[in-house]
Amino acid sequence: MTTVAERSGVAFRFNPFDSAFIADPYPTFRLMRENDPVYKYQTLADDEWILTRHADIRSVLTDRRFGIDNLGARVAQKIPFMPEDAPSLGRLSATLGSWLFFVNPPDHSRLRHVVSRDFTATAITRVRPVAEQFVDGVFASLERDGRFDLMAEIARPLPAVVTAAVLGLQTDRVHDLVSCSEQLFSIFEQPISFNGYRSMASAAETFSSFFEEEFARRAGQPPKNDLLGKLLLGCGKDLTHAELISFSAMLFSVGQETTENYIGNAVLALLQNPAQLERLTADRTRVPAAALELARYDSAVQFITRVPLEDVIISGRKLGRGDRVYLALGAANRDPAAFRSPDTLDIARRETSNLPFGSGIHFCLGSALARLMVEVVLERLIEHPDVEIDLAGVVRRRTIVLRGVRQLPLQLRRQTDHGALA
Ligand code: HEM
Protein backbone atom coordinates (compact mmCIF):
# COMPACT_ATOMS: atom_id res chain seq x y z
CA MET A 1 0.00 0.00 0.00
CA THR A 2 1.30 3.46 -0.85
CA THR A 3 1.56 6.16 1.77
CA VAL A 4 -0.29 9.43 1.98
CA ALA A 5 2.86 11.29 0.88
CA GLU A 6 3.32 9.10 -2.21
CA ARG A 7 -0.33 9.25 -3.25
CA SER A 8 -0.90 12.92 -2.67
CA GLY A 9 2.46 13.87 -4.16
CA VAL A 10 3.27 16.10 -1.17
CA ALA A 11 5.71 15.46 1.65
CA PHE A 12 3.12 14.62 4.27
CA ARG A 13 4.00 13.94 7.87
CA PHE A 14 1.25 13.98 10.44
CA ASN A 15 1.96 16.57 13.10
CA PRO A 16 -0.83 16.88 15.68
CA PHE A 17 0.91 19.90 17.24
CA ASP A 18 0.74 21.93 14.03
CA SER A 19 -1.32 25.08 14.65
CA ALA A 20 -3.24 24.66 11.38
CA PHE A 21 -4.24 21.12 12.41
CA ILE A 22 -5.36 22.29 15.84
CA ALA A 23 -7.37 25.11 14.30
CA ASP A 24 -9.07 22.77 11.79
CA PRO A 25 -8.12 19.08 11.72
CA TYR A 26 -10.65 18.09 9.06
CA PRO A 27 -8.65 18.85 5.85
CA THR A 28 -5.77 16.75 7.22
CA PHE A 29 -8.15 13.95 8.15
CA ARG A 30 -9.58 14.02 4.63
CA LEU A 31 -6.10 13.75 3.11
CA MET A 32 -5.25 10.80 5.35
CA ARG A 33 -8.61 9.05 4.86
CA GLU A 34 -8.42 9.33 1.08
CA ASN A 35 -4.75 8.46 0.67
CA ASP A 36 -3.53 6.45 3.62
CA PRO A 37 -6.42 5.41 5.89
CA VAL A 38 -4.18 3.15 7.99
CA TYR A 39 -1.40 5.64 8.52
CA LYS A 40 1.93 4.62 10.06
CA TYR A 41 2.63 7.35 12.58
CA GLN A 42 6.36 8.00 12.88
CA THR A 43 7.18 8.82 16.49
CA LEU A 44 9.99 8.00 18.87
CA ALA A 45 7.73 5.53 20.64
CA ASP A 46 6.68 2.04 19.57
CA ASP A 47 4.83 1.38 16.37
CA GLU A 48 1.80 3.61 16.21
CA TRP A 49 -1.00 3.88 13.68
CA ILE A 50 -3.79 6.32 12.91
CA LEU A 51 -7.05 5.06 11.43
CA THR A 52 -9.32 7.59 9.74
CA ARG A 53 -12.06 5.62 7.94
CA HIS A 54 -15.45 5.30 9.61
CA ALA A 55 -15.82 1.61 8.64
CA ASP A 56 -12.34 0.64 9.94
CA ILE A 57 -12.81 2.51 13.22
CA ARG A 58 -16.26 1.11 13.80
CA SER A 59 -15.09 -2.42 13.18
CA VAL A 60 -12.03 -2.08 15.48
CA LEU A 61 -14.31 -0.89 18.28
CA THR A 62 -16.23 -4.17 18.21
CA ASP A 63 -13.31 -6.45 17.28
CA ARG A 64 -12.20 -8.68 20.13
CA ARG A 65 -8.68 -8.80 18.70
CA PHE A 66 -8.26 -5.25 20.00
CA GLY A 67 -7.94 -4.40 23.68
CA ILE A 68 -7.97 -1.17 25.59
CA ASP A 69 -4.89 0.96 26.10
CA ASN A 70 -4.46 0.71 29.85
CA LEU A 71 -3.03 4.12 30.70
CA GLY A 72 -3.45 3.52 34.44
CA ALA A 73 -1.23 0.43 34.26
CA ARG A 74 1.29 2.35 32.17
CA VAL A 75 1.57 4.92 34.94
CA ALA A 76 2.36 2.09 37.38
CA GLN A 77 5.14 0.84 35.07
CA LYS A 78 6.85 4.22 35.33
CA ILE A 79 7.05 4.18 39.16
CA PRO A 80 10.46 2.41 39.47
CA PHE A 81 12.04 4.89 37.05
CA MET A 82 10.87 8.08 38.76
CA PRO A 83 13.26 10.17 40.90
CA GLU A 84 12.85 10.01 44.67
CA ASP A 85 11.23 13.41 44.91
CA ALA A 86 8.70 12.46 42.24
CA PRO A 87 5.04 12.79 43.07
CA SER A 88 3.23 9.65 44.16
CA LEU A 89 2.39 7.88 40.94
CA GLY A 90 1.09 4.98 43.03
CA ARG A 91 -1.89 7.07 44.10
CA LEU A 92 -2.41 8.25 40.52
CA SER A 93 -2.33 4.68 39.24
CA ALA A 94 -4.82 3.58 41.93
CA THR A 95 -7.14 6.49 41.17
CA LEU A 96 -7.23 5.51 37.50
CA GLY A 97 -7.32 1.78 38.33
CA SER A 98 -11.07 1.19 37.94
CA TRP A 99 -11.85 3.72 35.25
CA LEU A 100 -13.97 1.80 32.78
CA PHE A 101 -11.85 3.02 29.87
CA PHE A 102 -8.92 0.96 31.19
CA VAL A 103 -10.72 -2.18 32.37
CA ASN A 104 -11.35 -5.35 30.35
CA PRO A 105 -14.22 -7.82 30.78
CA PRO A 106 -15.20 -9.50 33.05
CA ASP A 107 -14.32 -6.67 35.49
CA HIS A 108 -15.53 -4.11 32.95
CA SER A 109 -19.00 -5.68 32.70
CA ARG A 110 -19.24 -6.03 36.49
CA LEU A 111 -18.28 -2.42 37.18
CA ARG A 112 -20.29 -0.89 34.35
CA HIS A 113 -23.36 -2.83 35.46
CA VAL A 114 -23.16 -1.10 38.87
CA VAL A 115 -24.05 2.27 37.30
CA SER A 116 -25.39 1.57 33.82
CA ARG A 117 -29.04 2.08 34.79
CA ASP A 118 -28.26 5.38 36.52
CA PHE A 119 -27.06 6.94 33.27
CA THR A 120 -29.87 6.01 30.87
CA ALA A 121 -31.77 8.86 29.18
CA THR A 122 -34.77 8.15 31.41
CA ALA A 123 -32.79 8.03 34.65
CA ILE A 124 -31.01 11.30 34.09
CA THR A 125 -34.09 13.37 33.19
CA ARG A 126 -34.42 14.04 36.91
CA VAL A 127 -31.42 16.42 36.73
CA ARG A 128 -32.79 18.39 33.75
CA PRO A 129 -34.35 21.04 36.06
CA VAL A 130 -30.94 21.52 37.72
CA ALA A 131 -29.37 22.25 34.32
CA GLU A 132 -32.25 24.49 33.27
CA GLN A 133 -32.17 26.54 36.44
CA PHE A 134 -28.44 27.08 36.13
CA VAL A 135 -28.51 28.11 32.46
CA ASP A 136 -31.56 30.35 33.00
CA GLY A 137 -29.65 32.18 35.72
CA VAL A 138 -26.74 32.88 33.38
CA PHE A 139 -28.96 34.06 30.53
CA ALA A 140 -30.76 36.36 32.97
CA SER A 141 -27.41 37.93 33.83
CA LEU A 142 -26.69 38.31 30.11
CA GLU A 143 -29.86 40.34 29.74
CA ARG A 144 -28.46 42.59 32.47
CA ASP A 145 -24.81 42.86 31.39
CA GLY A 146 -25.05 42.36 27.63
CA ARG A 147 -21.93 40.17 27.32
CA PHE A 148 -20.48 36.97 28.72
CA ASP A 149 -17.97 34.21 28.00
CA LEU A 150 -20.01 31.06 27.35
CA MET A 151 -17.12 28.83 28.43
CA ALA A 152 -16.53 30.52 31.79
CA GLU A 153 -20.18 31.12 32.64
CA ILE A 154 -21.90 27.99 31.31
CA ALA A 155 -19.78 25.34 29.55
CA ARG A 156 -17.28 24.94 32.39
CA PRO A 157 -19.50 25.14 35.50
CA LEU A 158 -22.60 23.39 34.12
CA PRO A 159 -21.12 19.85 33.95
CA ALA A 160 -19.91 20.24 37.56
CA VAL A 161 -23.31 21.42 38.81
CA VAL A 162 -25.14 18.63 36.99
CA THR A 163 -22.66 15.86 37.85
CA ALA A 164 -22.77 16.92 41.50
CA ALA A 165 -26.56 16.52 41.37
CA VAL A 166 -26.26 13.07 39.75
CA LEU A 167 -23.80 11.87 42.39
CA GLY A 168 -25.46 13.54 45.37
CA LEU A 169 -22.86 16.18 46.21
CA GLN A 170 -23.48 19.80 47.12
CA THR A 171 -22.38 22.11 44.31
CA ASP A 172 -20.35 24.40 46.57
CA ARG A 173 -18.12 21.45 47.57
CA VAL A 174 -16.98 20.51 44.08
CA HIS A 175 -15.22 23.68 42.84
CA ASP A 176 -11.70 22.30 43.46
CA LEU A 177 -12.60 19.08 41.72
CA VAL A 178 -13.24 20.85 38.41
CA SER A 179 -9.64 21.95 37.81
CA CYS A 180 -8.41 18.62 39.23
CA SER A 181 -10.58 16.87 36.62
CA GLU A 182 -8.83 18.74 33.87
CA GLN A 183 -5.44 17.74 35.28
CA LEU A 184 -6.48 14.11 35.62
CA PHE A 185 -8.02 13.95 32.17
CA SER A 186 -4.70 15.01 30.63
CA ILE A 187 -3.74 11.31 31.04
CA PHE A 188 -5.39 10.97 27.61
CA GLU A 189 -3.11 13.60 26.05
CA GLN A 190 0.24 12.02 25.15
CA PRO A 191 3.15 12.60 25.58
CA ILE A 192 3.04 13.56 29.27
CA SER A 193 5.84 15.66 30.76
CA PHE A 194 7.27 15.18 34.25
CA ASN A 195 5.31 18.25 35.36
CA GLY A 196 2.24 16.74 33.78
CA TYR A 197 2.64 13.65 35.98
CA ARG A 198 3.22 15.91 38.96
CA SER A 199 -0.06 17.77 38.49
CA MET A 200 -1.98 14.56 37.71
CA ALA A 201 -0.62 12.96 40.86
CA SER A 202 -1.65 15.95 42.94
CA ALA A 203 -5.12 15.90 41.35
CA ALA A 204 -5.40 12.19 42.17
CA GLU A 205 -4.53 12.97 45.82
CA THR A 206 -7.25 15.62 45.93
CA PHE A 207 -9.82 13.27 44.43
CA SER A 208 -9.05 10.32 46.65
CA SER A 209 -8.97 12.43 49.85
CA PHE A 210 -12.24 14.08 48.85
CA PHE A 211 -14.06 10.80 48.30
CA GLU A 212 -12.42 9.04 51.29
CA GLU A 213 -13.73 11.86 53.50
CA GLU A 214 -17.13 11.90 51.81
CA PHE A 215 -17.64 8.17 52.33
CA ALA A 216 -16.26 8.26 55.89
CA ARG A 217 -18.80 10.98 56.71
CA ARG A 218 -21.64 9.06 55.09
CA ALA A 219 -20.70 5.82 56.86
CA GLY A 220 -21.79 7.32 60.18
CA GLN A 221 -25.17 8.51 58.87
CA PRO A 222 -28.37 6.91 57.51
CA PRO A 223 -27.86 5.87 53.84
CA LYS A 224 -28.63 8.60 51.29
CA ASN A 225 -30.82 7.92 48.30
CA ASP A 226 -28.33 9.15 45.70
CA LEU A 227 -25.71 7.59 43.42
CA LEU A 228 -22.82 7.83 45.90
CA GLY A 229 -25.15 6.33 48.52
CA LYS A 230 -25.87 3.45 46.17
CA LEU A 231 -22.17 2.91 45.47
CA LEU A 232 -21.42 2.94 49.19
CA LEU A 233 -24.12 0.34 49.84
CA GLY A 234 -22.58 -1.85 47.13
CA CYS A 235 -19.07 -1.53 48.59
CA GLY A 236 -17.88 -4.97 49.69
CA LYS A 237 -20.41 -6.65 47.37
CA ASP A 238 -20.38 -5.08 43.90
CA LEU A 239 -17.09 -3.26 44.25
CA THR A 240 -14.09 -3.04 46.57
CA HIS A 241 -13.19 0.06 48.58
CA ALA A 242 -10.36 0.92 46.14
CA GLU A 243 -12.81 0.54 43.25
CA LEU A 244 -15.32 2.74 45.06
CA ILE A 245 -12.83 5.62 45.29
CA SER A 246 -11.49 5.22 41.76
CA PHE A 247 -14.97 4.84 40.31
CA SER A 248 -16.31 7.94 42.07
CA ALA A 249 -13.34 9.98 40.80
CA MET A 250 -14.09 8.72 37.27
CA LEU A 251 -17.79 9.49 37.48
CA PHE A 252 -17.11 13.06 38.53
CA SER A 253 -14.13 13.89 36.39
CA VAL A 254 -14.58 12.40 32.93
CA GLY A 255 -17.70 14.38 32.13
CA GLN A 256 -16.18 17.79 32.93
CA GLU A 257 -13.81 18.78 30.16
CA THR A 258 -15.51 16.53 27.60
CA THR A 259 -18.91 18.16 28.10
CA GLU A 260 -17.38 21.62 28.42
CA ASN A 261 -15.88 21.15 24.95
CA TYR A 262 -19.07 19.59 23.59
CA ILE A 263 -21.10 22.64 24.70
CA GLY A 264 -18.54 25.11 23.34
CA ASN A 265 -18.14 23.36 19.97
CA ALA A 266 -21.92 22.99 19.59
CA VAL A 267 -22.71 26.66 20.25
CA LEU A 268 -19.80 27.87 18.10
CA ALA A 269 -20.87 25.68 15.16
CA LEU A 270 -24.51 26.67 15.43
CA LEU A 271 -23.80 30.40 15.62
CA GLN A 272 -21.52 30.05 12.60
CA ASN A 273 -24.32 28.34 10.65
CA PRO A 274 -27.20 30.85 10.90
CA ALA A 275 -29.46 28.90 8.51
CA GLN A 276 -29.32 25.86 10.82
CA LEU A 277 -29.87 28.07 13.86
CA GLU A 278 -32.91 29.56 12.17
CA ARG A 279 -34.23 26.09 11.35
CA LEU A 280 -33.82 25.05 14.96
CA THR A 281 -35.48 28.20 16.23
CA ALA A 282 -38.44 27.51 13.94
CA ASP A 283 -38.83 23.97 15.27
CA ARG A 284 -37.44 23.29 18.72
CA THR A 285 -38.50 19.63 18.60
CA ARG A 286 -35.32 19.26 16.53
CA VAL A 287 -33.11 20.11 19.54
CA PRO A 288 -32.20 16.48 20.48
CA ALA A 289 -31.29 15.63 16.86
CA ALA A 290 -29.34 18.89 16.59
CA ALA A 291 -27.36 18.05 19.73
CA LEU A 292 -26.35 14.73 18.19
CA GLU A 293 -25.47 16.25 14.81
CA LEU A 294 -23.38 18.93 16.53
CA ALA A 295 -21.48 16.18 18.36
CA ARG A 296 -20.71 14.58 14.98
CA TYR A 297 -19.85 17.82 13.22
CA ASP A 298 -17.12 18.90 15.62
CA SER A 299 -16.34 16.05 17.99
CA ALA A 300 -15.16 16.98 21.48
CA VAL A 301 -13.17 13.73 21.62
CA GLN A 302 -11.06 13.43 18.48
CA PHE A 303 -8.99 10.33 19.23
CA ILE A 304 -9.31 7.15 21.25
CA THR A 305 -6.76 4.35 21.41
CA ARG A 306 -6.72 0.58 21.11
CA VAL A 307 -4.00 -2.07 21.18
CA PRO A 308 -4.07 -5.21 18.94
CA LEU A 309 -3.94 -8.36 21.09
CA GLU A 310 -2.56 -10.24 18.05
CA ASP A 311 -1.31 -9.24 14.60
CA VAL A 312 -4.23 -7.84 12.60
CA ILE A 313 -4.42 -6.87 8.91
CA ILE A 314 -6.50 -3.78 8.12
CA SER A 315 -6.75 -2.45 4.56
CA GLY A 316 -3.65 -4.44 3.62
CA ARG A 317 -1.44 -3.19 6.46
CA LYS A 318 -0.25 -5.33 9.32
CA LEU A 319 -0.85 -3.88 12.78
CA GLY A 320 1.44 -5.78 15.14
CA ARG A 321 0.46 -7.15 18.52
CA GLY A 322 1.03 -4.45 21.13
CA ASP A 323 1.19 -1.53 18.66
CA ARG A 324 -0.76 1.55 19.61
CA VAL A 325 -3.67 2.37 17.31
CA TYR A 326 -5.24 5.82 17.36
CA LEU A 327 -8.84 5.86 16.14
CA ALA A 328 -9.56 9.34 14.78
CA LEU A 329 -13.23 9.73 15.70
CA GLY A 330 -13.21 13.23 14.26
CA ALA A 331 -12.17 11.78 10.88
CA ALA A 332 -14.75 8.97 11.06
CA ASN A 333 -17.49 11.51 11.77
CA ARG A 334 -16.61 13.39 8.56
CA ASP A 335 -16.28 10.31 6.33
CA PRO A 336 -18.35 10.71 3.12
CA ALA A 337 -18.74 6.92 3.01
CA ALA A 338 -20.88 7.21 6.16
CA PHE A 339 -22.39 10.70 5.92
CA ARG A 340 -23.72 12.61 2.93
CA SER A 341 -21.98 16.03 2.66
CA PRO A 342 -20.11 15.31 5.89
CA ASP A 343 -18.60 18.80 6.16
CA THR A 344 -22.05 20.36 6.22
CA LEU A 345 -23.88 20.89 9.50
CA ASP A 346 -27.38 19.50 8.97
CA ILE A 347 -29.61 19.31 12.03
CA ALA A 348 -32.11 17.19 10.08
CA ARG A 349 -29.48 14.62 9.05
CA ARG A 350 -30.85 11.10 8.85
CA GLU A 351 -27.66 9.05 9.19
CA THR A 352 -27.22 8.04 12.81
CA SER A 353 -23.95 6.11 12.72
CA ASN A 354 -22.16 8.95 14.53
CA LEU A 355 -19.14 7.99 16.58
CA PRO A 356 -18.54 11.01 18.86
CA PHE A 357 -19.20 8.80 21.89
CA GLY A 358 -17.34 5.74 20.63
CA SER A 359 -18.98 2.35 20.12
CA GLY A 360 -18.90 -1.18 21.48
CA ILE A 361 -18.55 -2.09 25.14
CA HIS A 362 -16.77 1.18 25.97
CA PHE A 363 -19.53 3.33 24.45
CA CYS A 364 -19.71 6.53 26.50
CA LEU A 365 -21.58 5.95 29.74
CA GLY A 366 -22.44 9.66 30.03
CA SER A 367 -23.63 10.33 26.47
CA ALA A 368 -27.28 10.90 27.46
CA LEU A 369 -26.21 13.19 30.29
CA ALA A 370 -23.87 15.19 28.06
CA ARG A 371 -26.57 15.50 25.39
CA LEU A 372 -29.08 16.64 28.01
CA MET A 373 -26.77 19.50 28.98
CA VAL A 374 -26.22 20.52 25.36
CA GLU A 375 -29.96 20.34 24.70
CA VAL A 376 -30.68 22.70 27.60
CA VAL A 377 -28.06 25.19 26.37
CA LEU A 378 -29.45 25.05 22.80
CA GLU A 379 -33.02 25.53 24.02
CA ARG A 380 -32.01 28.68 25.89
CA LEU A 381 -29.87 29.91 23.01
CA ILE A 382 -32.75 29.77 20.53
CA GLU A 383 -34.90 31.70 22.97
CA HIS A 384 -32.35 34.52 22.57
CA PRO A 385 -32.22 35.38 18.85
CA ASP A 386 -30.46 38.59 19.87
CA VAL A 387 -27.28 36.75 20.94
CA GLU A 388 -24.28 36.94 18.68
CA ILE A 389 -20.74 35.69 18.87
CA ASP A 390 -17.61 37.81 19.06
CA LEU A 391 -15.47 35.65 16.75
CA ALA A 392 -12.32 37.72 17.35
CA GLY A 393 -12.50 36.77 21.01
CA VAL A 394 -12.69 32.99 20.47
CA VAL A 395 -9.62 31.25 21.91
CA ARG A 396 -8.94 27.66 20.87
CA ARG A 397 -7.41 25.04 23.18
CA ARG A 398 -4.14 23.41 22.14
CA THR A 399 -5.15 19.90 23.19
CA ILE A 400 -5.13 17.06 20.62
CA VAL A 401 -7.39 14.34 22.01
CA LEU A 402 -9.96 16.83 23.21
CA ARG A 403 -11.06 19.52 20.79
CA GLY A 404 -12.59 22.73 21.99
CA VAL A 405 -12.28 26.38 22.84
CA ARG A 406 -11.23 28.11 26.06
CA GLN A 407 -13.08 31.33 25.43
CA LEU A 408 -16.32 31.96 23.52
CA PRO A 409 -17.58 35.52 24.06
CA LEU A 410 -21.28 36.11 23.39
CA GLN A 411 -23.09 39.41 23.42
CA LEU A 412 -26.58 40.79 23.01
CA ARG A 413 -27.18 42.81 19.89
CA ARG A 414 -28.23 46.32 20.78
CA GLN A 415 -31.84 47.25 20.12
CA THR A 416 -32.62 50.36 18.05
CA ASP A 417 -35.09 52.96 19.28
CA HIS A 418 -37.75 51.15 17.24
CA GLY A 419 -37.08 47.86 18.97
CA ALA A 420 -35.35 46.29 15.92
CA LEU A 421 -32.01 44.53 16.40
CA ALA A 422 -29.02 46.57 15.28
C1 HEM B 1 -21.43 13.74 31.85
C2 HEM B 1 -20.66 13.50 30.85
C3 HEM B 1 -19.88 12.24 30.59
C4 HEM B 1 -19.65 11.14 31.37
C5 HEM B 1 -20.12 10.88 32.80
C6 HEM B 1 -18.86 10.20 30.58
C7 HEM B 1 -18.42 8.98 31.01
C8 HEM B 1 -17.76 8.06 30.23
C9 HEM B 1 -17.28 6.78 30.71
C10 HEM B 1 -17.37 6.29 32.12
C11 HEM B 1 -16.71 6.15 29.65
C12 HEM B 1 -16.05 4.78 29.65
C13 HEM B 1 -17.11 3.76 29.34
C14 HEM B 1 -16.57 2.36 29.32
O1 HEM B 1 -15.38 2.16 29.09
O2 HEM B 1 -17.39 1.44 29.55
C15 HEM B 1 -16.84 7.01 28.50
C16 HEM B 1 -16.38 6.69 27.26
C17 HEM B 1 -16.36 7.59 26.26
N1 HEM B 1 -16.82 8.89 26.28
FE1 HEM B 1 -17.80 9.80 27.76
N2 HEM B 1 -18.62 10.75 29.35
C18 HEM B 1 -19.23 12.00 29.32
C19 HEM B 1 -19.20 12.90 28.30
C20 HEM B 1 -18.61 12.65 27.09
C21 HEM B 1 -18.57 13.58 25.99
C22 HEM B 1 -19.16 14.99 26.01
C23 HEM B 1 -17.93 12.98 24.96
C24 HEM B 1 -17.64 13.51 23.58
C25 HEM B 1 -18.49 14.20 22.88
C26 HEM B 1 -17.54 11.65 25.41
C27 HEM B 1 -16.88 10.72 24.64
C28 HEM B 1 -16.57 9.45 25.05
C29 HEM B 1 -15.92 8.47 24.20
C30 HEM B 1 -15.46 8.68 22.76
C31 HEM B 1 -15.79 7.30 24.94
C32 HEM B 1 -15.20 5.97 24.47
C33 HEM B 1 -13.77 5.79 24.94
C34 HEM B 1 -13.18 4.52 24.35
O3 HEM B 1 -13.87 3.69 23.77
O4 HEM B 1 -11.94 4.38 24.46
N3 HEM B 1 -17.96 11.50 26.71
N4 HEM B 1 -17.48 8.18 28.87
Side-chain angles (χ1 to χ4, degrees), residues 2 7 30 50 73 75 132 154 163 169 176 187 203 223 228 243 268 283 326 378 389:
T2 51
R7 288 233 202 146
R30 187 188 317 125
I50 301 175
V75 169
E132 288 171 343
I154 294 182
T163 316
L169 290 166
D176 288 351
I187 186 74
L228 289 184
E243 287 171 342
L268 178 60
D283 179 3
Y326 294 98
L378 296 183
I389 190 168

Side-chain angles (χ1 to χ4, degrees), residues 61 68 99-103 108 112 115 119 159 162-163 185 188 247 250-263 295 298-306 327 329 355-371 373-374 402:
L61 287 171
I68 39 95
W99 284 28
L100 291 169
F101 304 85
F102 311 137
V103 181
H108 178 269
R112 185 155 173 142
V115 289
F119 283 89
V162 172
T163 316
F185 208 84
F188 291 100
F247 217 57
M250 174 194 76
L251 289 176
F252 185 86
S253 61
V254 300
Q256 302 304 313
E257 230 184 325
T258 47
T259 312
E260 177 184 346
N261 286 326
Y262 181 13
I263 295 170
D298 202 11
S299 309
V301 175
Q302 290 279 317
F303 292 96
I304 56 178
T305 326
R306 291 295 185 269
L327 308 174
L329 298 181
L355 291 175
F357 299 108
S359 182
I361 64 165
H362 293 280
F363 179 77
C364 176
L365 177 73
S367 75
L369 186 60
R371 278 186 285 137
M373 290 186 244
V374 169
L402 287 185

Side-chain angles (χ1 to χ4, degrees), residues 125-333:
T125 47
R126 71 182 174 84
V127 295
R128 184 175 270 271
V130 176
E132 288 171 343
Q133 202 184 355
F134 182 82
V135 178
D136 281 344
V138 180
F139 271 99
S141 75
L142 173 66
E143 277 156 22
R144 227 178 21 245
D145 304 337
R147 186 180 166 88
F148 73 75
D149 173 14
L150 179 99
M151 303 313 289
E153 303 294 333
I154 294 182
R156 194 168 164 82
L158 179 64
V161 168
V162 172
T163 316
V166 170
L167 293 179
L169 290 166
Q170 277 167 350
T171 311
D172 55 3
R173 296 191 52 229
V174 299
H175 292 306
D176 288 351
L177 298 187
V178 177
S179 53
C180 287
S181 298
E182 191 167 329
Q183 285 157 4
L184 220 44
F185 208 84
S186 56
I187 186 74
F188 291 100
E189 296 281 341
Q190 303 282 335
I192 301 168
S193 65
F194 180 73
N195 279 342
Y197 278 111
R198 193 182 284 281
S199 67
M200 281 194 290
S202 131
E205 290 284 348
T206 306
F207 263 109
S208 51
S209 322
F210 178 91
F211 283 110
E212 289 287 5
E213 278 167 33
E214 175 70 22
F215 287 120
R217 209 151 41 84
R218 284 172 175 245
Q221 295 169 2
K224 282 195 180 168
N225 187 21
D226 54 30
L227 186 51
L228 289 184
K230 177 183 157 179
L231 293 181
L232 187 57
L233 272 181
C235 187
K237 296 188 289 264
D238 303 326
L239 70 181
T240 64
H241 182 76
E243 287 171 342
L244 174 72
I245 300 298
S246 167
F247 217 57
S248 305
M250 174 194 76
L251 289 176
F252 185 86
S253 61
V254 300
Q256 302 304 313
E257 230 184 325
T258 47
T259 312
E260 177 184 346
N261 286 326
Y262 181 13
I263 295 170
N265 294 351
V267 171
L268 178 60
L270 201 54
L271 291 177
Q272 286 182 309
N273 285 273
Q276 295 298 311
L277 176 59
E278 218 169 278
R279 216 168 163 192
L280 192 60
T281 309
D283 179 3
R284 56 185 294 161
T285 64
R286 290 187 189 273
V287 165
L292 200 55
E293 165 67 352
L294 286 157
R296 178 200 71 83
Y297 181 74
D298 202 11
S299 309
V301 175
Q302 290 279 317
F303 292 96
I304 56 178
T305 326
R306 291 295 185 269
V307 177
L309 303 172
E310 57 186 79
D311 292 355
V312 180
I313 309 280
I314 294 192
S315 296
R317 303 202 82 163
K318 189 174 103 183
L319 279 52
R321 178 171 179 260
D323 289 354
R324 192 182 299 177
V325 183
Y326 294 98
L327 308 174
L329 298 181
N333 285 329

